[in-house]
Amino acid sequence: MADVASLENLATPSLMLDETIMLRNIERLERRLAALKVSARPHLKTVKSVDAARRVLRNASGATVSTLREAEVFAGAGVTDILYCVGIAPQKLPRVLALRATGCDLVVILDSLAQARAVAEASRKAGALIPALIEIDCDGHRSGLAPDDPTVVEIARILAHEGAELRGVVAHAGESYGARGEASLVAFAEQERDAVVAAVARLEAAGFACPVVSVGSTPTAHFARDLSGVTEVRAGVYVFFDLVQAGIGICGLEDIALSVLTTVIGHQRERGWILIDAGWMALSRDRGTASQKTDQGYGVVCDIEGRVLEGLIVAATNQEHGIIAARPGSAVQPTEMAVGTMLRILPNHACATAAQFDGYQVLTAAGGLDYWPRFRGW
Amino acid sequence: MADVASLENLATPSLMLDETIMLRNIERLERRLAALKVSARPHLKTVKSVDAARRVLRNASGATVSTLREAEVFAGAGVTDILYCVGIAPQKLPRVLALRATGCDLVVILDSLAQARAVAEASRKAGALIPALIEIDCDGHRSGLAPDDPTVVEIARILAHEGAELRGVVAHAGESYGARGEASLVAFAEQERDAVVAAVARLEAAGFACPVVSVGSTPTAHFARDLSGVTEVRAGVYVFFDLVQAGIGICGLEDIALSVLTTVIGHQRERGWILIDAGWMALSRDRGTASQKTDQGYGVVCDIEGRVLEGLIVAATNQEHGIIAARPGSAVQPTEMAVGTMLRILPNHACATAAQFDGYQVLTAAGGLDYWPRFRGW
């Protein structure tokens, strides 16, 4: 790890990334997916950084993104196989075509006849096939069609016969974030696989091939036991992990690669509070652990070296203030830390917290300190 | 207002700002404070934009900021009187001195002997007085000393006699965000004033002058009836207003100047859902109305022209997906809106939502469309 003295010179709040932990997390999923004989298509919405993406993608066949801006930035950095995994809006098709024209195999997803017609029409007008995956709903989480919905085959027909390209199907078990315990996580992974496999069977019976069968979420990716019929797995937050994933049981606190470096700026001793310069602008407003067994407030408090200070959480935030208190029911009371003391906060949700910063202060695997810029926008 | 056709060409999600509403909000508070015979020191943490700040500050004596980055950017744009209104960390004093050396009268706040000693020591070493306000706690919200805490006078002594400058006192009735109804809001404003006036009395009795007596929050600024003894009022979110402020009773929905432009990307008809391309990355994770009488989810849905669609809220969000549903208990069901339809979402918390974007798409008072960049960071 980098010398603590080098952290003491950083302005606070800063976003810290421990590269050693990140590489361990990447390797862990790589090993799993290799054993399951499926490709990895990591979701880059978590990292939003070309430097981080290079490490995430080193053994992956392609990337997943959640915005066209992500697609454009990563394509510009040399990624040539990208799935834009948010239902396509017709207005966005000119940008999709423009990016495809540069040589990037950008694929869209959709779950309605209207979108299929728009994709087919845009393809015909441009004289360039836009490939699409049909989104299948496996758990009522958000979007997608039931595997047995006749619309699935109708969409396939439009894509394949009216000028676009049917590339396959895609599902995301978003409800797995509410799972607890191994049996439940394994069941979510099976449900995700079953949904796409059922949709592929219907499509193949209707004469449509599905070269891509894509599933994924960080919880299901880490608990799937059999992915027969699936060609690729998507996951994003596993690269950094966070308190929500620890609460689900996918990782431990020692696997969280991301933290927010902060400085003590005051106390309210009668109330047992420590005030820090990381509010919700730094930590994000995400309260993903609020519905879990252990509510971690706005984050778990560590010392400057990243050691968890048992019992202390960021209990409340304002824009640029955080209030550290002992976890409700805890016997531990906030210790007296002098104004100026630096701490690190483990985030509820890595995607949300990272998005509050323009870049990562990286504790490199080589033992130094580096800076990796992030981008944002749409 | 700008032609709707000009909005249809914008990429979504985009942050929309209605300048006409913004100017009306600014004028409303200017009139109040003029009648109360106090200066305005608007808080620029909400706008984080030089273009917006020019309008906010046109009749103000100075500005308030929540980060040194804000101080540096606004000083660079010509603002010469700035209050950095988050407890000072000793590590940040070199930046304070550097900015003061450029001619900007940057003032810090503090509430401990340790901070006062650090400010005095930094002043002596630099041979340049750093002015400070002592933070007074008026409602147990966060930071600050009780007006009758003997530490207040001890801090004054250190600032005035050990090399720094005692500029006065400051309080913020943050708990007023939990107030409901005029009587409660008026009481919070009185409590805020009473706290600083009591502290000033003790300081003056000990021989210390307080040229600056600063109070403020958007709720108390709009309900204070008497500000005798106060010299300036701070407020920030009033410039844009939002659903939280509407829920407190400070404004109506028609006073909210900010909205997120979004596009319909799908439906789940059996569940009554409309899917949009504005998730928490665009709207923020702020759920400030969750504890209010009317929980507005992640925002109130309007058509592209900004007319509220009664009963529709963004009920849930993922990173780049929003789910619109009818408010629980409402008789209204989500109407069928074609994929591609554009909508506007009123935000829970203007500061948090605006922070998710790099700039404002401004519907100018002159009837055109403009772009005002925002900045972020610390």
Side-chain angles (χ1 to χ4, degrees), chain A residues 45 91-92 137 144 268 271 277 285-286 319-320 340 355 376 378, chain B residues 45 91-92 137 144 268 271 277 285-286 319-320 340 355 376 378:
Chain A
K45 75 186 176 77
Q91 294 96 318
K92 293 178 179 166
D137 179 18
Q268 288 286 7
R271 299 183 200 117
D277 67 355
R285 269 290 193 200
D286 198 287
Q319 186 158 338
E320 301 291 353
R376 64 175 189 162
W378 291 267
Chain B
K45 76 187 174 78
Q91 293 96 318
K92 293 178 179 166
D137 178 18
Q268 288 287 7
R271 300 184 199 118
D277 68 354
R285 270 290 192 200
D286 198 287
Q319 187 158 339
E320 300 292 352
R376 64 174 188 163
W378 290 269

PDB file of all heavy atoms in Angstrom, chain A residues 45 91-92 137 144 268 271 277 285-286 319-320 340 355 376 378, chain B residues 45 91-92 137 144 268 271 277 285-286 319-320 340 355 376 378:
ATOM      1  N   LYS A  45     -20.388   0.872 -16.287  1.00  0.00           N
ATOM      2  CA  LYS A  45     -21.097   1.996 -15.642  1.00  0.00           C
ATOM      3  C   LYS A  45     -20.572   2.251 -14.244  1.00  0.00           C
ATOM      4  O   LYS A  45     -20.728   3.352 -13.708  1.00  0.00           O
ATOM      5  CB  LYS A  45     -22.596   1.740 -15.588  1.00  0.00           C
ATOM      6  CG  LYS A  45     -23.048   0.722 -14.533  1.00  0.00           C
ATOM      7  CD  LYS A  45     -24.534   0.421 -14.654  1.00  0.00           C
ATOM      8  CE  LYS A  45     -24.984  -0.668 -13.685  1.00  0.00           C
ATOM      9  NZ  LYS A  45     -25.136  -0.209 -12.309  1.00  0.00           N
ATOM     10  N   GLN A  91     -34.793   8.424 -30.599  1.00  0.00           N
ATOM     11  CA  GLN A  91     -33.956   9.610 -30.811  1.00  0.00           C
ATOM     12  C   GLN A  91     -32.467   9.306 -30.729  1.00  0.00           C
ATOM     13  O   GLN A  91     -31.641  10.106 -31.177  1.00  0.00           O
ATOM     14  CB  GLN A  91     -34.266  10.701 -29.761  1.00  0.00           C
ATOM     15  CG  GLN A  91     -35.656  11.301 -29.839  1.00  0.00           C
ATOM     16  CD  GLN A  91     -36.626  10.626 -28.868  1.00  0.00           C
ATOM     17  OE1 GLN A  91     -36.626   9.402 -28.733  1.00  0.00           O
ATOM     18  NE2 GLN A  91     -37.495  11.413 -28.235  1.00  0.00           N
ATOM     19  N   LYS A  92     -32.114   8.210 -30.090  1.00  0.00           N
ATOM     20  CA  LYS A  92     -30.691   7.914 -29.879  1.00  0.00           C
ATOM     21  C   LYS A  92     -30.086   7.102 -31.024  1.00  0.00           C
ATOM     22  O   LYS A  92     -28.869   6.877 -31.036  1.00  0.00           O
ATOM     23  CB  LYS A  92     -30.508   7.193 -28.538  1.00  0.00           C
ATOM     24  CG  LYS A  92     -30.849   8.129 -27.375  1.00  0.00           C
ATOM     25  CD  LYS A  92     -30.752   7.485 -26.011  1.00  0.00           C
ATOM     26  CE  LYS A  92     -31.086   8.539 -24.946  1.00  0.00           C
ATOM     27  NZ  LYS A  92     -31.338   7.987 -23.627  1.00  0.00           N
ATOM     28  N   ASP A 137     -37.770 -10.357 -19.238  1.00  0.00           N
ATOM     29  CA  ASP A 137     -37.998 -10.099 -17.816  1.00  0.00           C
ATOM     30  C   ASP A 137     -37.929 -11.430 -17.075  1.00  0.00           C
ATOM     31  O   ASP A 137     -38.663 -12.363 -17.402  1.00  0.00           O
ATOM     32  CB  ASP A 137     -39.380  -9.463 -17.652  1.00  0.00           C
ATOM     33  CG  ASP A 137     -39.721  -9.180 -16.200  1.00  0.00           C
ATOM     34  OD1 ASP A 137     -38.799  -9.147 -15.369  1.00  0.00           O
ATOM     35  OD2 ASP A 137     -40.918  -8.985 -15.910  1.00  0.00           O
ATOM     36  N   GLY A 144     -38.491  -5.460 -19.849  1.00  0.00           N
ATOM     37  CA  GLY A 144     -38.389  -6.769 -20.491  1.00  0.00           C
ATOM     38  C   GLY A 144     -39.728  -7.467 -20.633  1.00  0.00           C
ATOM     39  O   GLY A 144     -40.702  -7.142 -19.961  1.00  0.00           O
ATOM     40  N   GLN A 268     -19.604  17.308  18.250  1.00  0.00           N
ATOM     41  CA  GLN A 268     -20.644  17.670  19.199  1.00  0.00           C
ATOM     42  C   GLN A 268     -20.535  16.622  20.291  1.00  0.00           C
ATOM     43  O   GLN A 268     -21.156  15.556  20.215  1.00  0.00           O
ATOM     44  CB  GLN A 268     -22.046  17.657  18.537  1.00  0.00           C
ATOM     45  CG  GLN A 268     -22.303  18.784  17.581  1.00  0.00           C
ATOM     46  CD  GLN A 268     -22.532  20.127  18.285  1.00  0.00           C
ATOM     47  OE1 GLN A 268     -22.371  20.246  19.507  1.00  0.00           O
ATOM     48  NE2 GLN A 268     -22.895  21.134  17.511  1.00  0.00           N
ATOM     49  N   ARG A 271     -23.496  14.956  22.138  1.00  0.00           N
ATOM     50  CA  ARG A 271     -24.311  14.051  21.331  1.00  0.00           C
ATOM     51  C   ARG A 271     -23.496  12.874  20.779  1.00  0.00           C
ATOM     52  O   ARG A 271     -24.031  12.032  20.080  1.00  0.00           O
ATOM     53  CB  ARG A 271     -24.925  14.813  20.153  1.00  0.00           C
ATOM     54  CG  ARG A 271     -25.838  15.943  20.586  1.00  0.00           C
ATOM     55  CD  ARG A 271     -26.505  16.638  19.392  1.00  0.00           C
ATOM     56  NE  ARG A 271     -26.954  17.954  19.806  1.00  0.00           N
ATOM     57  CZ  ARG A 271     -26.517  19.112  19.316  1.00  0.00           C
ATOM     58  NH1 ARG A 271     -25.639  19.118  18.338  1.00  0.00           N
ATOM     59  NH2 ARG A 271     -26.976  20.246  19.774  1.00  0.00           N
ATOM     60  N   ASP A 277     -15.809  16.331   6.615  1.00  0.00           N
ATOM     61  CA  ASP A 277     -16.036  17.146   5.413  1.00  0.00           C
ATOM     62  C   ASP A 277     -16.516  16.309   4.224  1.00  0.00           C
ATOM     63  O   ASP A 277     -16.378  16.737   3.070  1.00  0.00           O
ATOM     64  CB  ASP A 277     -14.793  17.979   5.057  1.00  0.00           C
ATOM     65  CG  ASP A 277     -13.610  17.134   4.604  1.00  0.00           C
ATOM     66  OD1 ASP A 277     -13.705  15.893   4.650  1.00  0.00           O
ATOM     67  OD2 ASP A 277     -12.585  17.724   4.211  1.00  0.00           O
ATOM     68  N   ARG A 285     -26.268  10.252  -2.042  1.00  0.00           N
ATOM     69  CA  ARG A 285     -27.459  10.113  -1.199  1.00  0.00           C
ATOM     70  C   ARG A 285     -27.885   8.658  -1.075  1.00  0.00           C
ATOM     71  O   ARG A 285     -28.927   8.369  -0.479  1.00  0.00           O
ATOM     72  CB  ARG A 285     -28.609  10.899  -1.836  1.00  0.00           C
ATOM     73  CG  ARG A 285     -28.717  12.322  -1.386  1.00  0.00           C
ATOM     74  CD  ARG A 285     -29.167  12.401   0.045  1.00  0.00           C
ATOM     75  NE  ARG A 285     -29.566  13.767   0.400  1.00  0.00           N
ATOM     76  CZ  ARG A 285     -29.629  14.196   1.654  1.00  0.00           C
ATOM     77  NH1 ARG A 285     -29.325  13.402   2.656  1.00  0.00           N
ATOM     78  NH2 ARG A 285     -30.014  15.432   1.904  1.00  0.00           N
ATOM     79  N   ASP A 286     -27.104   7.735  -1.652  1.00  0.00           N
ATOM     80  CA  ASP A 286     -27.542   6.340  -1.666  1.00  0.00           C
ATOM     81  C   ASP A 286     -27.613   5.768  -0.252  1.00  0.00           C
ATOM     82  O   ASP A 286     -26.651   5.816   0.502  1.00  0.00           O
ATOM     83  CB  ASP A 286     -26.593   5.490  -2.529  1.00  0.00           C
ATOM     84  CG  ASP A 286     -27.236   4.170  -2.919  1.00  0.00           C
ATOM     85  OD1 ASP A 286     -27.367   3.274  -2.055  1.00  0.00           O
ATOM     86  OD2 ASP A 286     -27.637   4.046  -4.077  1.00  0.00           O
ATOM     87  N   GLN A 319     -25.053  18.614   2.636  1.00  0.00           N
ATOM     88  CA  GLN A 319     -24.331  18.663   1.362  1.00  0.00           C
ATOM     89  C   GLN A 319     -22.837  18.429   1.528  1.00  0.00           C
ATOM     90  O   GLN A 319     -22.260  17.624   0.798  1.00  0.00           O
ATOM     91  CB  GLN A 319     -24.604  19.995   0.644  1.00  0.00           C
ATOM     92  CG  GLN A 319     -24.001  20.055  -0.757  1.00  0.00           C
ATOM     93  CD  GLN A 319     -24.676  21.082  -1.648  1.00  0.00           C
ATOM     94  OE1 GLN A 319     -25.816  21.487  -1.420  1.00  0.00           O
ATOM     95  NE2 GLN A 319     -23.976  21.515  -2.681  1.00  0.00           N
ATOM     96  N   GLU A 320     -22.213  19.138   2.447  1.00  0.00           N
ATOM     97  CA  GLU A 320     -20.761  18.996   2.627  1.00  0.00           C
ATOM     98  C   GLU A 320     -20.380  18.622   4.057  1.00  0.00           C
ATOM     99  O   GLU A 320     -19.222  18.784   4.451  1.00  0.00           O
ATOM    100  CB  GLU A 320     -20.038  20.279   2.189  1.00  0.00           C
ATOM    101  CG  GLU A 320     -20.265  20.680   0.733  1.00  0.00           C
ATOM    102  CD  GLU A 320     -19.615  19.758  -0.297  1.00  0.00           C
ATOM    103  OE1 GLU A 320     -18.853  18.854   0.100  1.00  0.00           O
ATOM    104  OE2 GLU A 320     -19.897  19.922  -1.515  1.00  0.00           O
ATOM    105  N   GLY A 340      -8.895  17.657  12.091  1.00  0.00           N
ATOM    106  CA  GLY A 340      -7.777  17.465  11.174  1.00  0.00           C
ATOM    107  C   GLY A 340      -7.462  15.989  10.942  1.00  0.00           C
ATOM    108  O   GLY A 340      -6.770  15.650   9.979  1.00  0.00           O
ATOM    109  N   ALA A 355     -19.577   8.178  -8.721  1.00  0.00           N
ATOM    110  CA  ALA A 355     -20.111   9.176  -9.656  1.00  0.00           C
ATOM    111  C   ALA A 355     -20.035  10.598  -9.112  1.00  0.00           C
ATOM    112  O   ALA A 355     -20.186  11.558  -9.861  1.00  0.00           O
ATOM    113  CB  ALA A 355     -21.564   8.833 -10.007  1.00  0.00           C
ATOM    114  N   ARG A 376     -18.430  11.528 -16.898  1.00  0.00           N
ATOM    115  CA  ARG A 376     -19.860  11.340 -16.632  1.00  0.00           C
ATOM    116  C   ARG A 376     -20.643  11.988 -17.751  1.00  0.00           C
ATOM    117  O   ARG A 376     -20.081  12.433 -18.753  1.00  0.00           O
ATOM    118  CB  ARG A 376     -20.248  11.897 -15.279  1.00  0.00           C
ATOM    119  CG  ARG A 376     -20.073  13.393 -15.152  1.00  0.00           C
ATOM    120  CD  ARG A 376     -20.612  13.833 -13.800  1.00  0.00           C
ATOM    121  NE  ARG A 376     -20.663  15.279 -13.711  1.00  0.00           N
ATOM    122  CZ  ARG A 376     -21.379  15.938 -12.817  1.00  0.00           C
ATOM    123  NH1 ARG A 376     -22.098  15.293 -11.938  1.00  0.00           N
ATOM    124  NH2 ARG A 376     -21.383  17.250 -12.799  1.00  0.00           N
ATOM    125  N   TRP A 378     -24.148  11.977 -20.437  1.00  0.00           N
ATOM    126  CA  TRP A 378     -24.925  11.023 -21.231  1.00  0.00           C
ATOM    127  C   TRP A 378     -24.597  11.129 -22.717  1.00  0.00           C
ATOM    128  O   TRP A 378     -25.075  10.415 -23.517  1.00  0.00           O
ATOM    129  CB  TRP A 378     -26.419  11.280 -21.005  1.00  0.00           C
ATOM    130  CG  TRP A 378     -26.820  10.897 -19.609  1.00  0.00           C
ATOM    131  CD1 TRP A 378     -27.311   9.683 -19.225  1.00  0.00           C
ATOM    132  CD2 TRP A 378     -26.751  11.672 -18.418  1.00  0.00           C
ATOM    133  NE1 TRP A 378     -27.532   9.676 -17.864  1.00  0.00           N
ATOM    134  CE2 TRP A 378     -27.197  10.891 -17.359  1.00  0.00           C
ATOM    135  CE3 TRP A 378     -26.328  12.982 -18.144  1.00  0.00           C
ATOM    136  CZ2 TRP A 378     -27.259  11.357 -16.051  1.00  0.00           C
ATOM    137  CZ3 TRP A 378     -26.378  13.443 -16.855  1.00  0.00           C
ATOM    138  CH2 TRP A 378     -26.834  12.639 -15.825  1.00  0.00           C
TER     139      TRP A 378
ATOM    140  N   LYS B  45     -23.814  27.110  -3.360  1.00  0.00           N
ATOM    141  CA  LYS B  45     -23.663  25.650  -3.461  1.00  0.00           C
ATOM    142  C   LYS B  45     -24.769  25.038  -4.298  1.00  0.00           C
ATOM    143  O   LYS B  45     -24.616  23.942  -4.819  1.00  0.00           O
ATOM    144  CB  LYS B  45     -23.641  25.010  -2.079  1.00  0.00           C
ATOM    145  CG  LYS B  45     -25.008  24.894  -1.392  1.00  0.00           C
ATOM    146  CD  LYS B  45     -24.870  24.395   0.034  1.00  0.00           C
ATOM    147  CE  LYS B  45     -26.191  24.411   0.766  1.00  0.00           C
ATOM    148  NZ  LYS B  45     -27.087  23.308   0.426  1.00  0.00           N
ATOM    149  N   GLN B  91      -5.853  21.717   7.502  1.00  0.00           N
ATOM    150  CA  GLN B  91      -5.162  21.442   6.233  1.00  0.00           C
ATOM    151  C   GLN B  91      -5.595  22.383   5.118  1.00  0.00           C
ATOM    152  O   GLN B  91      -4.918  22.502   4.103  1.00  0.00           O
ATOM    153  CB  GLN B  91      -5.447  20.016   5.745  1.00  0.00           C
ATOM    154  CG  GLN B  91      -4.877  18.906   6.611  1.00  0.00           C
ATOM    155  CD  GLN B  91      -5.894  18.354   7.604  1.00  0.00           C
ATOM    156  OE1 GLN B  91      -6.635  19.132   8.216  1.00  0.00           O
ATOM    157  NE2 GLN B  91      -5.909  17.054   7.779  1.00  0.00           N
ATOM    158  N   LYS B  92      -6.771  22.999   5.258  1.00  0.00           N
ATOM    159  CA  LYS B  92      -7.290  23.839   4.174  1.00  0.00           C
ATOM    160  C   LYS B  92      -6.848  25.302   4.292  1.00  0.00           C
ATOM    161  O   LYS B  92      -7.124  26.105   3.393  1.00  0.00           O
ATOM    162  CB  LYS B  92      -8.821  23.737   4.138  1.00  0.00           C
ATOM    163  CG  LYS B  92      -9.264  22.331   3.735  1.00  0.00           C
ATOM    164  CD  LYS B  92     -10.765  22.128   3.724  1.00  0.00           C
ATOM    165  CE  LYS B  92     -11.054  20.688   3.282  1.00  0.00           C
ATOM    166  NZ  LYS B  92     -12.413  20.240   3.534  1.00  0.00           N
ATOM    167  N   ASP B 137     -24.868  27.118  17.525  1.00  0.00           N
ATOM    168  CA  ASP B 137     -25.898  26.094  17.313  1.00  0.00           C
ATOM    169  C   ASP B 137     -27.234  26.651  17.810  1.00  0.00           C
ATOM    170  O   ASP B 137     -27.350  27.075  18.954  1.00  0.00           O
ATOM    171  CB  ASP B 137     -25.510  24.839  18.105  1.00  0.00           C
ATOM    172  CG  ASP B 137     -26.540  23.734  17.985  1.00  0.00           C
ATOM    173  OD1 ASP B 137     -27.370  23.775  17.057  1.00  0.00           O
ATOM    174  OD2 ASP B 137     -26.503  22.824  18.838  1.00  0.00           O
ATOM    175  N   GLY B 144     -21.695  23.728  15.723  1.00  0.00           N
ATOM    176  CA  GLY B 144     -21.873  24.989  16.428  1.00  0.00           C
ATOM    177  C   GLY B 144     -21.917  24.832  17.932  1.00  0.00           C
ATOM    178  O   GLY B 144     -22.178  23.759  18.462  1.00  0.00           O
ATOM    179  N   GLN B 268     -44.287  -1.310 -18.788  1.00  0.00           N
ATOM    180  CA  GLN B 268     -44.744  -2.598 -18.268  1.00  0.00           C
ATOM    181  C   GLN B 268     -46.228  -2.376 -18.034  1.00  0.00           C
ATOM    182  O   GLN B 268     -46.647  -1.915 -16.966  1.00  0.00           O
ATOM    183  CB  GLN B 268     -44.015  -2.975 -16.966  1.00  0.00           C
ATOM    184  CG  GLN B 268     -42.576  -3.387 -17.140  1.00  0.00           C
ATOM    185  CD  GLN B 268     -42.427  -4.768 -17.767  1.00  0.00           C
ATOM    186  OE1 GLN B 268     -43.404  -5.392 -18.199  1.00  0.00           O
ATOM    187  NE2 GLN B 268     -41.194  -5.256 -17.841  1.00  0.00           N
ATOM    188  N   ARG B 271     -48.256  -3.746 -15.026  1.00  0.00           N
ATOM    189  CA  ARG B 271     -47.925  -3.140 -13.724  1.00  0.00           C
ATOM    190  C   ARG B 271     -48.208  -1.630 -13.718  1.00  0.00           C
ATOM    191  O   ARG B 271     -47.992  -0.972 -12.710  1.00  0.00           O
ATOM    192  CB  ARG B 271     -46.453  -3.380 -13.387  1.00  0.00           C
ATOM    193  CG  ARG B 271     -46.092  -4.845 -13.299  1.00  0.00           C
ATOM    194  CD  ARG B 271     -44.637  -5.059 -12.870  1.00  0.00           C
ATOM    195  NE  ARG B 271     -44.238  -6.407 -13.245  1.00  0.00           N
ATOM    196  CZ  ARG B 271     -43.269  -6.717 -14.108  1.00  0.00           C
ATOM    197  NH1 ARG B 271     -42.536  -5.774 -14.646  1.00  0.00           N
ATOM    198  NH2 ARG B 271     -43.006  -7.959 -14.407  1.00  0.00           N
ATOM    199  N   ASP B 277     -35.545   7.300 -19.361  1.00  0.00           N
ATOM    200  CA  ASP B 277     -34.080   7.243 -19.354  1.00  0.00           C
ATOM    201  C   ASP B 277     -33.451   8.184 -18.320  1.00  0.00           C
ATOM    202  O   ASP B 277     -32.273   8.538 -18.447  1.00  0.00           O
ATOM    203  CB  ASP B 277     -33.511   7.497 -20.759  1.00  0.00           C
ATOM    204  CG  ASP B 277     -33.730   8.930 -21.235  1.00  0.00           C
ATOM    205  OD1 ASP B 277     -34.421   9.708 -20.544  1.00  0.00           O
ATOM    206  OD2 ASP B 277     -33.223   9.276 -22.317  1.00  0.00           O
ATOM    207  N   ARG B 285     -30.066  10.366  -5.879  1.00  0.00           N
ATOM    208  CA  ARG B 285     -30.676   9.406  -4.965  1.00  0.00           C
ATOM    209  C   ARG B 285     -31.492  10.119  -3.885  1.00  0.00           C
ATOM    210  O   ARG B 285     -31.989   9.461  -2.957  1.00  0.00           O
ATOM    211  CB  ARG B 285     -29.579   8.598  -4.276  1.00  0.00           C
ATOM    212  CG  ARG B 285     -29.188   7.333  -4.998  1.00  0.00           C
ATOM    213  CD  ARG B 285     -30.291   6.289  -4.928  1.00  0.00           C
ATOM    214  NE  ARG B 285     -29.819   4.980  -5.364  1.00  0.00           N
ATOM    215  CZ  ARG B 285     -30.634   4.015  -5.771  1.00  0.00           C
ATOM    216  NH1 ARG B 285     -31.948   4.214  -5.815  1.00  0.00           N
ATOM    217  NH2 ARG B 285     -30.160   2.857  -6.138  1.00  0.00           N
ATOM    218  N   ASP B 286     -31.601  11.436  -3.951  1.00  0.00           N
ATOM    219  CA  ASP B 286     -32.263  12.172  -2.871  1.00  0.00           C
ATOM    220  C   ASP B 286     -33.738  11.799  -2.766  1.00  0.00           C
ATOM    221  O   ASP B 286     -34.482  11.869  -3.744  1.00  0.00           O
ATOM    222  CB  ASP B 286     -32.119  13.686  -3.083  1.00  0.00           C
ATOM    223  CG  ASP B 286     -32.388  14.443  -1.799  1.00  0.00           C
ATOM    224  OD1 ASP B 286     -33.561  14.530  -1.386  1.00  0.00           O
ATOM    225  OD2 ASP B 286     -31.422  14.917  -1.192  1.00  0.00           O
ATOM    226  N   GLN B 319     -29.728   2.946 -11.991  1.00  0.00           N
ATOM    227  CA  GLN B 319     -28.736   3.934 -12.399  1.00  0.00           C
ATOM    228  C   GLN B 319     -29.208   4.785 -13.577  1.00  0.00           C
ATOM    229  O   GLN B 319     -29.119   6.018 -13.517  1.00  0.00           O
ATOM    230  CB  GLN B 319     -27.406   3.244 -12.726  1.00  0.00           C
ATOM    231  CG  GLN B 319     -26.273   4.228 -13.006  1.00  0.00           C
ATOM    232  CD  GLN B 319     -24.896   3.628 -12.806  1.00  0.00           C
ATOM    233  OE1 GLN B 319     -24.711   2.635 -12.110  1.00  0.00           O
ATOM    234  NE2 GLN B 319     -23.893   4.251 -13.416  1.00  0.00           N
ATOM    235  N   GLU B 320     -29.690   4.157 -14.637  1.00  0.00           N
ATOM    236  CA  GLU B 320     -30.108   4.926 -15.812  1.00  0.00           C
ATOM    237  C   GLU B 320     -31.563   4.646 -16.208  1.00  0.00           C
ATOM    238  O   GLU B 320     -31.961   4.958 -17.337  1.00  0.00           O
ATOM    239  CB  GLU B 320     -29.169   4.649 -16.996  1.00  0.00           C
ATOM    240  CG  GLU B 320     -27.707   5.008 -16.756  1.00  0.00           C
ATOM    241  CD  GLU B 320     -27.422   6.504 -16.629  1.00  0.00           C
ATOM    242  OE1 GLU B 320     -28.325   7.323 -16.875  1.00  0.00           O
ATOM    243  OE2 GLU B 320     -26.280   6.845 -16.254  1.00  0.00           O
ATOM    244  N   GLY B 340     -40.395   7.239 -26.843  1.00  0.00           N
ATOM    245  CA  GLY B 340     -39.884   8.433 -27.514  1.00  0.00           C
ATOM    246  C   GLY B 340     -40.504   9.726 -26.987  1.00  0.00           C
ATOM    247  O   GLY B 340     -39.962  10.810 -27.222  1.00  0.00           O
ATOM    248  N   ALA B 355     -26.444  18.706  -9.189  1.00  0.00           N
ATOM    249  CA  ALA B 355     -25.063  18.231  -9.075  1.00  0.00           C
ATOM    250  C   ALA B 355     -24.782  17.031  -9.969  1.00  0.00           C
ATOM    251  O   ALA B 355     -23.624  16.693 -10.202  1.00  0.00           O
ATOM    252  CB  ALA B 355     -24.738  17.871  -7.624  1.00  0.00           C
ATOM    253  N   ARG B 376     -17.971  21.199 -10.373  1.00  0.00           N
ATOM    254  CA  ARG B 376     -18.084  20.448  -9.128  1.00  0.00           C
ATOM    255  C   ARG B 376     -16.703  20.170  -8.585  1.00  0.00           C
ATOM    256  O   ARG B 376     -15.721  20.678  -9.105  1.00  0.00           O
ATOM    257  CB  ARG B 376     -18.867  19.166  -9.343  1.00  0.00           C
ATOM    258  CG  ARG B 376     -18.219  18.174 -10.278  1.00  0.00           C
ATOM    259  CD  ARG B 376     -19.034  16.894 -10.293  1.00  0.00           C
ATOM    260  NE  ARG B 376     -18.350  15.855 -11.024  1.00  0.00           N
ATOM    261  CZ  ARG B 376     -18.651  14.569 -10.929  1.00  0.00           C
ATOM    262  NH1 ARG B 376     -19.642  14.180 -10.142  1.00  0.00           N
ATOM    263  NH2 ARG B 376     -17.988  13.673 -11.613  1.00  0.00           N
ATOM    264  N   TRP B 378     -13.982  19.709  -5.141  1.00  0.00           N
ATOM    265  CA  TRP B 378     -13.719  20.351  -3.854  1.00  0.00           C
ATOM    266  C   TRP B 378     -12.459  21.197  -3.909  1.00  0.00           C
ATOM    267  O   TRP B 378     -12.030  21.789  -2.966  1.00  0.00           O
ATOM    268  CB  TRP B 378     -13.576  19.266  -2.778  1.00  0.00           C
ATOM    269  CG  TRP B 378     -14.894  18.617  -2.521  1.00  0.00           C
ATOM    270  CD1 TRP B 378     -15.812  19.024  -1.574  1.00  0.00           C
ATOM    271  CD2 TRP B 378     -15.476  17.498  -3.195  1.00  0.00           C
ATOM    272  NE1 TRP B 378     -16.919  18.207  -1.643  1.00  0.00           N
ATOM    273  CE2 TRP B 378     -16.745  17.271  -2.620  1.00  0.00           C
ATOM    274  CE3 TRP B 378     -15.052  16.686  -4.219  1.00  0.00           C
ATOM    275  CZ2 TRP B 378     -17.600  16.246  -3.057  1.00  0.00           C
ATOM    276  CZ3 TRP B 378     -15.889  15.665  -4.662  1.00  0.00           C
ATOM    277  CH2 TRP B 378     -17.154  15.441  -4.077  1.00  0.00           C
TER     278      TRP B 378
END
